[in-house]
């Protein structure tokens, strides 16, 4: 995969493969997204919090020229994944709900 021409399908498959269910936490997904943003030349910051003993996190990625006092656009999404249920029911993904 070229960093200048990312393959959105492969990037999506990688993100889906990270278990971000509430019981596992979103820190690994946030770290991967932060690293990706940095490779693309953005500034990224992870905001981490422990909830019910599990590390949950969000990522803020900014263009390097944006100053803290400037108005920008924030796109927000949930990083957590609903519990996928019984893995055996995922017959089209080899019994792995995180295999896209």
């Amino acid at each position: 995969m070229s960093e200048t021409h990312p393959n959105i399908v492969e990037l999506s498959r990688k993100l889906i493969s990270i278990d971000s269910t509430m019981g596992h936490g979103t820190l690994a997904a946030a770290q991967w997204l932060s690293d990706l943003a940095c490779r693309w030349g953005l500034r990224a910051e992870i905001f981490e919090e422990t909830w019910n003993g599990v590390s949950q996190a969000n990522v803020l990625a900014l263009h390097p020229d944006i100053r803290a006092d400037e108005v920008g656009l924030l796109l927000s999404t949930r990083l957590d994944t609903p519990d996928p249920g019984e893995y055996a029911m995922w017959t089209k993904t080899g019994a792995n709900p995180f295999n896209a």
Side-chain angles (χ1 to χ4, degrees):
M1 172 178 59
S2 167
E3 287 300 315
T4 57
H5 296 94
N7 181 325
I8 192 69
V9 172
E10 289 305 313
L11 291 174
S12 298
R13 290 184 78 183
K14 173 58 183 166
L15 185 57
I16 290 168
S17 75
I18 301 170
D19 183 350
S20 61
T21 56
M22 289 301 290
H24 190 268
T26 58
L27 183 58
Q31 288 172 329
W32 183 80
L33 288 166
S34 175
D35 291 344
L36 181 64
C38 289
R39 287 196 312 265
W40 286 352
L42 301 172
R43 290 189 340 238
E45 186 174 351
I46 295 176
F47 297 89
E48 184 178 353
E49 184 174 320
T50 300
W51 188 66
N52 288 339
V54 180
S55 291
Q56 306 293 346
N58 288 299
V59 180
L60 177 62
L62 300 169
H63 188 278
D65 295 337
I66 299 276
R67 296 187 325 261
D69 63 340
E70 290 183 310
V71 174
L73 172 66
L74 175 63
L75 302 175
S76 178
T77 186
R78 293 176 55 176
L79 294 178
D80 64 310
T81 304
D83 187 313
E86 293 293 323
Y87 280 32
M89 297 191 63
W90 291 84
T91 57
K92 295 186 179 186
T93 60
N96 181 354
F98 303 104
N99 180 21

